[in-house]
mmCIF file of all heavy atoms in Angstrom:
data_model
loop_
_atom_site.group_PDB
_atom_site.id
_atom_site.type_symbol
_atom_site.label_atom_id
_atom_site.label_comp_id
_atom_site.label_asym_id
_atom_site.label_seq_id
_atom_site.Cartn_x
_atom_site.Cartn_y
_atom_site.Cartn_z
ATOM 1 N N ALA X 161 -18.436 6.187 2.614
ATOM 2 C CA ALA X 161 -18.488 7.537 3.258
ATOM 3 C C ALA X 161 -19.895 7.666 4.165
ATOM 4 O O ALA X 161 -20.933 7.807 3.646
ATOM 5 C CB ALA X 161 -18.438 8.755 2.287
ATOM 6 N N ILE X 163 -22.107 10.122 6.853
ATOM 7 C CA ILE X 163 -22.238 11.592 6.922
ATOM 8 C C ILE X 163 -21.418 12.155 8.004
ATOM 9 O O ILE X 163 -20.923 13.287 7.787
ATOM 10 C CB ILE X 163 -23.695 11.942 7.156
ATOM 11 C CG1 ILE X 163 -24.566 11.434 6.030
ATOM 12 C CG2 ILE X 163 -23.921 13.473 7.334
ATOM 13 C CD1 ILE X 163 -24.229 12.053 4.588
ATOM 14 N N GLY X 184 -18.967 12.733 4.580
ATOM 15 C CA GLY X 184 -19.784 13.839 3.977
ATOM 16 C C GLY X 184 -20.686 13.412 2.918
ATOM 17 O O GLY X 184 -20.673 12.212 2.511
ATOM 18 N N GLU X 185 -21.588 14.243 2.395
ATOM 19 C CA GLU X 185 -22.578 13.941 1.369
ATOM 20 C C GLU X 185 -21.776 13.715 -0.033
ATOM 21 O O GLU X 185 -20.737 14.303 -0.134
ATOM 22 C CB GLU X 185 -23.453 15.115 1.290
ATOM 23 C CG GLU X 185 -24.115 15.646 2.513
ATOM 24 C CD GLU X 185 -25.501 15.186 2.742
ATOM 25 O OE1 GLU X 185 -26.015 14.283 1.938
ATOM 26 O OE2 GLU X 185 -26.193 15.459 3.703
ATOM 27 N N ALA X 186 -22.580 13.044 -0.923
ATOM 28 C CA ALA X 186 -21.933 12.868 -2.244
ATOM 29 C C ALA X 186 -21.594 14.319 -2.846
ATOM 30 O O ALA X 186 -22.338 15.301 -2.651
ATOM 31 C CB ALA X 186 -22.984 12.162 -3.169
ATOM 32 N N GLY X 187 -20.509 14.362 -3.557
ATOM 33 C CA GLY X 187 -20.086 15.618 -4.012
ATOM 34 C C GLY X 187 -19.359 16.582 -3.172
ATOM 35 O O GLY X 187 -18.689 17.692 -3.582
ATOM 36 N N GLU X 188 -19.228 16.320 -1.863
ATOM 37 C CA GLU X 188 -18.564 17.123 -0.918
ATOM 38 C C GLU X 188 -17.818 16.350 0.203
ATOM 39 O O GLU X 188 -17.866 16.777 1.389
ATOM 40 C CB GLU X 188 -19.378 18.324 -0.351
ATOM 41 C CG GLU X 188 -20.673 17.949 0.137
ATOM 42 C CD GLU X 188 -21.620 18.958 0.526
ATOM 43 O OE1 GLU X 188 -21.911 19.809 -0.259
ATOM 44 O OE2 GLU X 188 -21.933 19.149 1.591
ATOM 45 N N GLN X 189 -17.363 15.162 -0.240
ATOM 46 C CA GLN X 189 -16.845 14.343 0.753
ATOM 47 C C GLN X 189 -15.340 14.698 0.929
ATOM 48 O O GLN X 189 -14.464 15.011 0.054
ATOM 49 C CB GLN X 189 -16.674 12.892 0.349
ATOM 50 C CG GLN X 189 -18.133 12.270 0.308
ATOM 51 C CD GLN X 189 -18.159 10.943 -0.463
ATOM 52 O OE1 GLN X 189 -17.122 10.413 -0.768
ATOM 53 N NE2 GLN X 189 -19.339 10.318 -0.477
ATOM 54 N N VAL X 209 -12.639 13.691 -1.893
ATOM 55 C CA VAL X 209 -12.805 12.385 -2.595
ATOM 56 C C VAL X 209 -14.306 12.124 -2.864
ATOM 57 O O VAL X 209 -15.184 12.904 -2.595
ATOM 58 C CB VAL X 209 -12.333 11.287 -1.476
ATOM 59 C CG1 VAL X 209 -10.829 11.197 -1.309
ATOM 60 C CG2 VAL X 209 -13.016 11.430 -0.095
ATOM 61 N N SER X 210 -14.380 10.894 -3.589
ATOM 62 C CA SER X 210 -15.870 10.496 -3.910
ATOM 63 C C SER X 210 -15.986 9.115 -3.653
ATOM 64 O O SER X 210 -15.575 8.250 -4.535
ATOM 65 C CB SER X 210 -15.963 10.927 -5.407
ATOM 66 O OG SER X 210 -17.283 10.461 -5.911
ATOM 67 N N PHE X 211 -16.669 8.732 -2.619
ATOM 68 C CA PHE X 211 -16.970 7.319 -2.366
ATOM 69 C C PHE X 211 -18.436 6.934 -2.367
ATOM 70 O O PHE X 211 -19.260 7.827 -2.288
ATOM 71 C CB PHE X 211 -16.419 6.959 -0.846
ATOM 72 C CG PHE X 211 -14.965 6.843 -0.689
ATOM 73 C CD1 PHE X 211 -14.023 7.876 -0.614
ATOM 74 C CD2 PHE X 211 -14.493 5.565 -0.454
ATOM 75 C CE1 PHE X 211 -12.716 7.714 -0.531
ATOM 76 C CE2 PHE X 211 -13.217 5.356 -0.237
ATOM 77 C CZ PHE X 211 -12.225 6.268 -0.299
ATOM 78 N N PRO X 213 -21.903 5.723 -0.538
ATOM 79 C CA PRO X 213 -22.277 6.027 0.766
ATOM 80 C C PRO X 213 -22.150 4.848 1.796
ATOM 81 O O PRO X 213 -22.240 3.783 1.320
ATOM 82 C CB PRO X 213 -23.703 6.583 0.650
ATOM 83 C CG PRO X 213 -24.158 6.014 -0.709
ATOM 84 C CD PRO X 213 -22.928 5.881 -1.623
#
Side-chain angles (χ1 to χ4, degrees):
I163 299 300
E185 311 259 5
E188 47 190 59
Q189 294 170 4
V209 288
S210 175
F211 278 77

